[in-house]
Structures are given as C-alpha cells and as structure tokens.
Amino acid sequence: MMTYTVQKLAELAGVSKRTLRYYDQIGLLHPAEINVSGYRIYTEKEVDLLQQILFFRELDVDLDTIKSIIYSPDFDRKKALEEHRDRLLEKQEHIQMLLGNVGKSIEAMERKVTMSDSEKFKGFKEQKIAENEANYGEEIREAYGKEAVEASNQKFRGLTEEQYKKMNEVEQRLFEKLKTAMQAGDPTASEALHAAELHREWLEFTWHAYSKEAHAGLAEMYVQDERFAAYYENNIMEGAAQFLRDSIRYYTKL
C-alpha cells in the first residue's frame, strides 16, 4: 500500500504542510498513523478524503460543512464526485461566458462597437448565478427541485437592465422597510407585512411561479441555514432573518 508523509502528500496534492496539519488539528483529515519517529503517515484512504475536501473547497464550501458531509454515514463518494463534476462543468461554462463578455467589452472599447444591454449584463448575471449555485445550490434544489431552480436561473438570465435595476431597488426598499418594522417589534404589523409583500415582489423577478407555500418554505430556510440568515443579518441587523420569517409566515396565511 502506498503511504505518504505530510511533505509527500502536500507535494502530491498541491497544498501546504501547514494546511494538512491544520486539517488534522480540527478533525477534518487525520493521518492513518503516527510512526515511531513522530511522522504523520497517510494512506490511499486519506488521499481520497483529501481529494473530496479539495473539491469542496474549490466550490467554496466551508470546512465545518465539509467535515459534516464527508463523515456522514450516508456519504456516497461516487455520488459526491458526480456532483462535483456537474458543479465544475457549470462553473466552467460560467467562466467561459464571463470571458466572452469581457472580450466583447474590450472589443467595444477598442473598435467602438456597440454592445446591447443584454450583452453587457449577460456575464454579470452568470457570475451572480454561479455565486448562488456555489453557496446555496444543493439546498434550493433539494427544497424546490432541479427544474424549478433551472427555470428561476433562466428567468434571471432574461432580465433586462431596467428589470434588474428595479429588482435591486425593490430589495433595498425591503431592507429599509424590514429595519423599520423591526424597530416597532411586531412581525404581524402593517409595516412588517409590507416588508413581506416586498419580499414577494423581489422573488417574482426570478421565480417561475409564486406560491404561498414556497414563499413560507424559503422563509424557513432563512432561519434554519446560517448562510441564508447571514445575508439578512449582514444587510439589516441581528435577528432580521427570523423577523422576516415570522412576517412571511403570517403574510402567507392571510
């Protein structure tokens, strides 16, 4: 059986020895053994695990989440590799689109070629989709299904410059209204319900079809997943995700 020291594995994987020691320290990747000389020794099993870890890191998954995934009793390495392949192919496609968009922009500047609004924003929108896929793709597909997510992405791709601008304006109004409602403290009051209505309006820019059930379900994800919650906590204030969830919960029952 092939074995590796920290140095050899670091060279093989293209990571630092410090990274491997840190992974051992936090319980993400332990060596198979520590020999009599005190060297960490890794086997093929650890090499495979490190490959999975690096794939997840490439998709910007945090270390705590990676640890919970790869040490789950339900972890399927083949399925994980297939999902990595699909995500990386999507990422590759997005990067190619961005490169094409940048190239057209340079050409437009050099040759004074006019770019349409659609061309200007195509690469930017693809980048936004790529970021959402990396951060939330697995969760939203599990919750709403692949077809619904793809339809939403396609609708976002089709937004005009004016529609995209309006979407951002609605979101900013949502933040302001939610902050005001939170200061009043009642998630069922008119200000809070107005925030829930603005949230619905914001969603409808990208959702293929709106339903109260889906709206309420998304709101639950805001408090169950810290990544979703952080978006509202960072843009508004602490407790914003839960307050919005409570308002949407009441709004969707009216």
Side-chain angles (χ1 to χ4, degrees), residues 106-135:
I106 293 172
E107 183 180 1
M109 293 174 66
E110 291 178 344
R111 302 183 183 182
K112 296 184 179 180
V113 177
T114 301
M115 291 179 69
S116 68
D117 289 342
S118 176
E119 289 176 318
K120 290 177 183 177
F121 284 92
K122 182 178 179 181
F124 175 76
K125 288 185 289 187
E126 288 298 331
Q127 178 63 25
K128 294 289 289 184
I129 290 173
E131 290 173 359
N132 286 335
E133 286 289 347
N135 292 326

Side-chain angles (χ1 to χ4, degrees), residues 100-168:
N101 187 259
V102 170
K104 286 183 179 179
S105 297
I106 293 172
E107 183 180 1
M109 293 174 66
E110 291 178 344
R111 302 183 183 182
K112 296 184 179 180
V113 177
T114 301
M115 291 179 69
S116 68
D117 289 342
S118 176
E119 289 176 318
K120 290 177 183 177
F121 284 92
K122 182 178 179 181
F124 175 76
K125 288 185 289 187
E126 288 298 331
Q127 178 63 25
K128 294 289 289 184
I129 290 173
E131 290 173 359
N132 286 335
E133 286 289 347
N135 292 326
Y136 317 116
E138 183 177 346
E139 290 78 8
I140 58 177
R141 276 175 169 75
E142 184 176 340
Y144 299 105
K146 182 177 180 180
E147 290 184 2
V149 174
E150 292 302 325
S152 177
N153 287 344
Q154 194 60 33
K155 189 172 181 180
F156 181 71
R157 288 186 178 102
L159 292 179
T160 65
E161 180 180 0
E162 184 61 31
Q163 288 170 327
Y164 182 77
K165 180 181 178 182
K166 186 176 180 181
M167 179 181 174
N168 285 332

Side-chain angles (χ1 to χ4, degrees), residues 58-252:
E58 185 66 26
L59 297 171
D60 298 321
V61 180
D62 65 87
L63 296 179
D64 287 339
T65 301
I66 295 173
K67 184 177 176 181
S68 68
I69 293 171
I70 65 175
Y71 289 109
S72 166
D74 299 324
F75 180 66
D76 183 327
R77 183 168 179 264
K78 181 176 182 293
K79 182 180 178 182
L81 285 170
E82 290 171 346
E83 290 175 352
H84 285 315
R85 178 196 60 200
D86 293 343
R87 294 284 185 85
L88 289 170
L89 286 171
E90 289 176 2
K91 195 171 183 179
Q92 180 185 47
E93 182 180 350
H94 294 147
I95 290 172
Q96 289 300 324
M97 288 183 179
L98 285 172
L99 287 171
N101 187 259
V102 170
K104 286 183 179 179
S105 297
I106 293 172
E107 183 180 1
M109 293 174 66
E110 291 178 344
R111 302 183 183 182
K112 296 184 179 180
V113 177
T114 301
M115 291 179 69
S116 68
D117 289 342
S118 176
E119 289 176 318
K120 290 177 183 177
F121 284 92
K122 182 178 179 181
F124 175 76
K125 288 185 289 187
E126 288 298 331
Q127 178 63 25
K128 294 289 289 184
I129 290 173
E131 290 173 359
N132 286 335
E133 286 289 347
N135 292 326
Y136 317 116
E138 183 177 346
E139 290 78 8
I140 58 177
R141 276 175 169 75
E142 184 176 340
Y144 299 105
K146 182 177 180 180
E147 290 184 2
V149 174
E150 292 302 325
S152 177
N153 287 344
Q154 194 60 33
K155 189 172 181 180
F156 181 71
R157 288 186 178 102
L159 292 179
T160 65
E161 180 180 0
E162 184 61 31
Q163 288 170 327
Y164 182 77
K165 180 181 178 182
K166 186 176 180 181
M167 179 181 174
N168 285 332
E169 289 174 350
V170 169
E171 185 178 40
Q172 289 305 310
R173 285 165 54 205
L174 163 62
F175 290 163
E176 293 166 6
K177 185 63 65 174
L178 187 57
K179 187 173 183 178
T180 300
M182 288 182 70
Q183 290 170 348
D186 182 0
T188 67
S190 60
E191 288 284 299
L193 295 180
H194 189 188
E197 175 68 29
L198 286 169
H199 189 264
R200 170 181 176 165
E201 186 178 344
W202 178 69
L203 289 175
E204 288 180 330
F205 280 98
T206 56
W207 276 22
H208 181 65
Y210 174 86
S211 74
K212 289 185 174 182
E213 294 77 12
H215 193 183
L218 179 63
E220 290 297 331
M221 292 179 70
Y222 287 169
V223 296
Q224 293 172 1
D225 190 310
E226 62 183 16
R227 290 168 297 170
F228 287 93
Y231 182 75
Y232 288 95
E233 309 279 314
N234 294 337
N235 280 289
I236 305 171
M237 65 174 70
E238 185 178 352
Q242 183 169 340
F243 190 92
L244 179 60
R245 187 280 307 272
D246 292 344
S247 297
I248 292 171
R249 180 186 284 175
Y250 188 79
Y251 172 81
T252 54

